[in-house]
Amino acid sequence: MTKNDEGLGLLEIVISMFLIALLAIAFVPVIISGVRASALNSTSATATRLVAQAIDQARTAAPATCAAAQLLNASITQVDAQGTTIRVETTVPAVGDCVDGEVMTITVVAFDDADEDERPLADARTQIYLGG
């Protein structure tokens, strides 16, 4: 070999591959946490959409009496794109706690069915006027 030999030798290539592998390993946790955050955001967005739909349905139904408003009490489940089962519960005051001709508050809450603590993913409240 002469001093004028140019180019990369096998040792330089192996060392550069080792360094690239170390960099790749350093970024794996960042990628994994990004994927998890994306899944959580997707589930949260789905829950928010389902709550908004339930609120819209309650407003569209526009019950005229407290008795008619009881039909809004419901619980539905839907599976999102991540495979999470989301339970959406719509609640209205009991007939005894409601007065015809006044405003009633309707509450809609979405939960992850697998969450034992039942922390809400999304919730909303709306008021409707009972024209009775």
Side-chain angles (χ1 to χ4, degrees), residues 25-37:
I25 289 171
F27 283 108
V28 167
V30 173
I31 293 170
I32 290 173
S33 67
V35 169
R36 286 184 182 155

Side-chain angles (χ1 to χ4, degrees), residues 37-77:
S38 175
L40 182 60
N41 287 340
S42 174
T43 298
S44 180
T46 301
T48 302
R49 179 181 52 82
L50 292 172
V51 166
Q53 284 177 349
I55 290 287
D56 287 343
Q57 288 173 353
R59 287 181 182 160
T60 303
T65 64
C66 293
Q70 296 307 305
L71 297 174
L72 297 175
N73 277 319
S75 180
I76 62 163
T77 58

Side-chain angles (χ1 to χ4, degrees), residues 1 11 14 19 22 35 40 57 65-66 68-69 72 76-77 82 85 87-88 91 112 122 126 130:
M1 282 209 194
L11 184 60
V14 170
L19 292 174
L22 283 177
V35 169
L40 182 60
Q57 288 173 353
T65 64
C66 293
L72 297 175
I76 62 163
T77 58
Q82 309 304 320
T85 302
R87 184 180 76 250
V88 179
T91 56
D112 178 351
T126 189
L130 301 174

Side-chain angles (χ1 to χ4, degrees), residues 104-115:
M104 172 197 293
T105 300
I106 299 172
T107 304
V108 181
V109 184
F111 301 98
D112 178 351
D113 245 4
D115 184 11

